[in-house]
Amino acid sequence: MRRFYCHCGQEVFFDNTYCNRCNSILGFDTEQQKLISIEPFKGQFRSVQLPEQHYKRCMHHQHLMQCNWLLPVGDIFTQCLSCRLTRVIPNQNYPYNVKRWAVLEAAKRRMIYGLLRLGLPIHQWPAADTQQLQFHFLEDQISNPIDGHEQVFSGHAAGIITLNASEADTSYREATREAMNEPYRTLLGHFRHEIGHFYWEKLIKNQPIYTQFKALFGDDTVDYSQALATYYEKGPPEDFQQEYISAYASAHALEDWAETWAHYLLMYETLETAVEFDVIHPPETDREFHVWLSEWMQLALVLNALNRSIGNADAYPFVVSTRVQKKLQFIHDLMQG
Ligand SMILES: [Zn+2]
Ligand SMILES: [Zn+2]
């Protein structure tokens, strides 16, 4: 994540809606990929030239949602680039769902920030393309026996990313993480994983690069539900870390892809943050994957050591084997292209 500054000089952060030094309203410009001051707060700093005439705020900037993304003032949309991708939300008559929706959108904005930084298209698909990106946040009967869906599995199908709204609750997520014996489970990680499935359809499937994908990740035509059932019954192979970035990646070639893709996004944004804070030097050139990777390994080591000193669990509970490095490089080369 880049570093941002208010026009008054104060450092401000991605989710901030106003500057806590000068009270200016802040907004995220998706074109510049930058948080900027858009208007002075209640009559202060009238003499400062601010670009408020160029922008309007996303309609979800108020209440709990606090979306701080901006649109060009003449845009036909009232929701920002991120918010308007959401098509189904859990019943807002329940106050806990109002909170969940806000938490989900905040994580989604950060994921989309990563896509913007990588220059990946989000809305720009031909109208004839039947797979347009959209998000459905659904509640199931575990949290709402009265009007929740019977059962909601997070996943991607034909452009639609479905997330169980309960994933927005820390207690639910932690309990699930423990039950599934996972070292890492975050909302941001869910979004990065599911969007990986979406981009697989766009960038890999039926593309010349598919052969290369298959050689690295395996056969995606293997029966998916059967593979998942086997994984949940037997678990991952004992030495899964030799081959996969996570246990779940061993379930099916497409899950391996989504897990590795999510991991690439995690590394990319965290490296950007580290460079911005002068923790590491930027790699000489973006194309040099091995330089980039060795910077990452150093950084991950420090990250975990710092967390142990604080008394937290490892922030980065992963092993990046030689085989996984090859898969990450494949994604890196794809992004460079
Ligand atoms: Zn300020
Ligand atoms: Zn918005």
Side-chain angles (χ1 to χ4, degrees):
M1 176 62 70
R2 298 170 79 184
R3 292 179 86 172
F4 308 113
Y5 300 90
C6 176
H7 68 92
C8 76
Q10 173 77 7
E11 177 156 20
V12 289
F13 300 96
F14 185 65
D15 294 314
N16 290 168
T17 50
Y18 69 95
C19 168
N20 59 19
R21 181 175 176 214
C22 75
N23 281 331
S24 274
I25 292 171
L26 303 168
F28 184 75
D29 176 355
T30 53
E31 283 289 317
Q32 298 185 68
Q33 295 150 22
K34 224 173 124 184
L35 193 67
I36 54 172
S37 333
I38 49 161
E39 61 185 51
F41 183 76
K42 297 220 163 72
Q44 295 177 46
F45 299 98
R46 275 293 175 224
S47 61
V48 183
Q49 281 295 313
L50 293 164
E52 71 263 40
Q53 65 272 27
H54 302 309
Y55 298 101
K56 60 180 180 186
R57 302 164 84 182
C58 173
M59 68 174 272
H60 298 300
H61 72 272
Q62 285 171 315
H63 310 298
L64 258 186
M65 188 64 83
Q66 301 277 305
C67 174
N68 63 353
W69 284 25
L70 302 170
L71 298 94
V73 77
D75 207 291
I76 54 162
F77 298 104
T78 52
Q79 303 183 76
C80 72
L81 182 150
S82 174
C83 285
R84 67 177 184 266
L85 291 168
T86 302
R87 299 296 161 79
V88 182
I89 55 170
N91 190 336
Q92 296 292 293
N93 291 323
Y94 300 97
Y96 61 85
N97 276 336
V98 178
K99 187 181 165 214
R100 282 171 172 175
W101 184 24
V103 171
L104 287 159
E105 293 294 346
K108 174 161 143 273
R109 279 194 296 276
R110 186 171 279 262
M111 179 275 287
I112 289 178
Y113 166 85
L115 306 181
L116 291 171
R117 295 297 288 150
L118 284 160
L120 288 159
I122 296 163
H123 287 276
Q124 306 92 321
W125 311 104
D129 194 330
T130 51
Q131 298 207 3
Q132 302 284 338
L133 180 60
Q134 51 175 289
F135 291 83
H136 293 187
F137 301 140
L138 307 177
E139 182 172 32
D140 69 15
Q141 288 175 357
I142 296 170
S143 82
N144 187 345
I146 302 162
D147 62 4
H149 295 256
E150 197 177 337
Q151 205 169 10
V152 174
F153 294 106
S154 297
H156 166 268
I160 301 172
I161 290 176
T162 302
L163 228 65
N164 188 323
S166 304
E167 291 285 349
D169 306 343
T170 312
S171 56
Y172 172 88
R173 216 170 44 243
E174 261 309 287
T176 313
R177 189 186 68 74
E178 288 226 299
M180 312 278 279
N181 197 23
E182 296 170 345
Y184 174 92
R185 190 182 184 93
T186 66
L187 253 193
L188 182 55
H190 284 323
F191 279 112
R192 284 172 171 161
H193 173 104
E194 299 306 342
I195 203 81
H197 287 299
F198 175 77
Y199 282 104
W200 185 85
E201 302 273 341
K202 302 289 187 199
L203 308 175
I204 309 288
K205 193 182 182 183
N206 302 326
Q207 303 295 327
I209 205 172
Y210 173 76
T211 327
Q212 231 181 308
F213 160 83
K214 208 167 174 175
L216 272 172
F217 293 85
D219 187 0
D220 61 287
T221 60
V222 167
D223 188 285
Y224 182 82
S225 8
Q226 188 60 55
L228 268 280
T230 309
Y231 171 76
Y232 285 121
E233 190 196 320
K234 297 186 174 157
E238 225 168 88
D239 59 349
F240 76 87
Q241 284 177 325
Q242 293 293 321
E243 191 78 24
Y244 306 101
I245 190 63
S246 69
Y248 185 58
S250 71
H252 190 272
L254 291 176
E255 295 310 327
D256 188 14
W257 161 265
E259 284 289 273
T260 314
W261 168 282
H263 205 79
Y264 184 84
L265 295 187
L266 176 159
M267 288 166 68
Y268 190 87
E269 188 184 317
T270 311
L271 275 171
E272 183 183 63
T273 309
V275 168
E276 288 276 309
F277 279 88
D278 290 324
V279 179
I280 59 165
H281 297 296
E284 295 274 301
T285 146
D286 269 348
R287 294 195 68 84
E288 296 272 342
F289 180 75
H290 66 278
V291 183
W292 199 80
L293 188 73
S294 80
E295 290 283 2
W296 172 253
M297 299 313 257
Q298 279 302 313
L299 182 67
L301 200 75
V302 177
L303 202 60
N304 283 344
L306 288 172
N307 272 282
R308 287 173 208 148
S309 292
I310 290 167
N312 282 336
D314 284 1
Y316 186 73
F318 298 98
V319 174
V320 185
S321 69
T322 317
R323 184 90 185 126
V324 170
Q325 288 175 24
K326 288 205 173 78
K327 295 175 186 175
L328 285 166
Q329 174 148 25
F330 174 76
I331 296 172
H332 183 76
D333 294 342
L334 184 72
M335 299 293 187
Q336 297 294 320

